[in-house]
Amino acid sequence: MVIVQTGFRLPVVSCLCLFIAFAFSAPTLAGEIFSEDFSSATPGSKSGPGPIAGTAFSITGGNVDIIGVLNGSFFTCDANPGGNCLDLAGTGWGSVATGSTLQLKAGHRYEIEFAALVQGGYPPSVGLNVQVNLGDFGAEAHVYPSAQNFKLTYFPPYDQLGVPLSFAIIGSFGGGPAASHGPVLSDISITEFVETQFEDGFEDL
C-alpha cells in the first residue's frame, strides 16, 4: 500500500545498484597453489631432520610417521583408510615444514585446508594442539579423536615471497594421548582467491 502511494522508483534502482556492487566485490578463484595427500610416500617411521621422501615436507623437529596402505603398509589412517597420512608423532612429538617456495600476494585470500584427528581410540575429550604457520600467519588447531576438516583463512598485508607451510604439536588437553600417538593429517591444500575491487561510487549507495 505504501509503495503504491509513493510511486517512487528510486528504491528499486538503489537495490539494483547495491546488487551490482556486491557482484563486483565477489572473490575470483586464482587456483590451488599447494596440495599434498602423501600418496607418493612410503609408509613407515621417519626420523629427522630432513626431507620426507615422496612428499613436499621435511621434518624440522622430533620424528614422524607416514601411516597408510599405499606403497607399502604401516597401520591404517582413520582419516583416509584407502590412502596415506602424516602422523605428527613418531616416538614423540614432531614438526614438519615445506620448503620456502610459496608465494603470497598482498590483498589476496588464502585458505589452508586439511583433515585431522587423534588416532588411537582415545576418549572424545582428549586431544592435541597443533600450530599451523604460513608465512607471517599462525593459528592453533585443536585436534580431537573424531575426524575434523579444518579451514584457515589468511589475508597477507604485504607480499611474502618464498615462505613455508608448517605444522607442529605444541600441547595437549583432556589428559593428552600417549606421546607416540599424534594428530594424523591428510589432504592438505592451499587455495588462492583474488578479491575483486569495485568503483568507489558503488560504496556510497
Side-chain angles (χ1 to χ4, degrees):
M1 187 65 172
V2 174
I3 296 175
V4 173
Q5 287 179 338
T6 60
F8 289 118
R9 299 180 63 84
L10 181 58
V12 177
V13 176
S14 297
C15 289
L16 178 59
C17 290
L18 287 173
F19 174 78
I20 293 173
F22 289 136
F24 274 107
S25 64
T28 301
L29 175 65
E32 193 173 73
I33 64 170
F34 178 82
S35 179
E36 179 59 81
D37 63 4
F38 305 104
S39 60
S40 296
T42 301
S45 296
K46 312 296 178 181
S47 298
I52 305 172
T55 80
F57 287 94
S58 292
I59 301 171
T60 55
N63 52 69
V64 302
D65 295 333
I66 296 292
I67 62 174
V69 295
L70 297 178
N71 314 310
S73 180
F74 189 66
F75 299 101
T76 300
C77 176
D78 290 347
N80 184 17
N84 293 343
C85 297
L86 172 69
D87 185 345
L88 273 179
T91 56
W93 292 355
S95 59
V96 299
T98 66
S100 299
T101 58
L102 298 169
Q103 313 294 317
L104 309 182
K105 297 290 187 179
H108 291 197
R109 185 174 95 238
Y110 295 88
E111 293 184 351
I112 308 163
E113 297 184 76
F114 59 96
L117 60 81
V118 174
Q119 189 161 316
Y122 289 94
S125 60
V126 167
L128 288 162
N129 300 319
V130 176
Q131 180 69 28
V132 184
N133 289 98
L134 175 64
D136 284 350
F137 171 78
E140 188 174 317
H142 304 288
V143 183
Y144 291 85
S146 57
Q148 299 162 266
N149 292 308
F150 290 89
K151 180 185 287 187
L152 308 175
T153 302
Y154 178 42
F155 291 86
Y158 52 86
D159 289 353
Q160 298 176 47
L161 307 180
V163 298
L165 170 68
S166 65
F167 295 86
I169 305 173
I170 58 172
S172 63
F173 56 89
S180 59
H181 285 226
V184 175
L185 310 180
S186 62
D187 298 317
I188 302 170
S189 67
I190 303 174
T191 305
E192 180 182 22
F193 295 85
V194 179
E195 300 294 331
T196 305
Q197 300 299 316
F198 51 84
E199 297 294 332
D200 289 343
F202 285 110
E203 295 176 340
D204 297 328
L205 294 175

